[in-house]
Amino acid sequence: MEDKERELQKIRKDLKEMIARDLALEDITPEEIGDDEILFGDGLGLDSLDAVEIVVLLQRNFGVEIKNMDQGREIFYSIDTIANYVYENRGKQP
């Protein structure tokens, strides 16, 4: 397995654990969140307050900032899109 894919799997796992725990999702375990499952609206059902919490979680746990919420909509589409953003931007921001 390539290092990039191994690192992405770890980021996905960490994201799922953080989202399930820190957003207090009832009756949803990290294992039940699909990598490509839509997180907002009809998908997992997250809302705009959850988006703000995810921004804080990404900054606190990965040192990654999202300053433009229009960009955030694309990034927060799924666990996969967040993991790729974290992988590509970790360590690049001051």
Side-chain angles (χ1 to χ4, degrees):
M1 182 182 303
E2 294 182 33
D3 289 341
K4 178 181 178 181
E5 185 55 34
R6 186 175 303 133
E7 185 66 24
L8 282 170
Q9 283 186 354
K10 179 171 182 353
I11 294 169
R12 288 184 199 109
K13 180 178 180 288
D14 291 345
L15 286 168
K16 291 176 186 180
E17 289 173 355
M18 285 186 287
I19 287 173
R21 179 189 62 236
D22 295 336
L23 301 184
L25 299 179
E26 295 180 17
D27 302 325
I28 296 176
T29 66
E31 295 78 21
E32 294 174 320
I33 302 172
D35 291 345
D36 58 353
E37 182 174 357
I38 298 170
L39 297 177
F40 290 85
D42 293 336
L44 193 59
L46 301 183
D47 61 24
S48 59
L49 293 177
D50 295 322
V52 173
E53 186 67 26
I54 292 173
V55 168
V56 173
L57 290 172
L58 293 179
Q59 186 173 10
R60 186 181 338 147
N61 294 287
F62 297 105
V64 174
E65 291 186 23
I66 298 173
K67 296 178 181 173
N68 180 342
M69 284 311 285
D70 287 335
Q71 183 187 26
R73 287 190 182 113
E74 295 175 17
I75 296 166
F76 294 166
Y77 182 78
S78 69
I79 292 294
D80 268 341
T81 57
I82 298 173
N84 281 310
Y85 182 80
V86 168
Y87 181 82
E88 298 294 331
N89 291 282
R90 207 168 34 178
K92 291 183 178 178
Q93 298 173 351

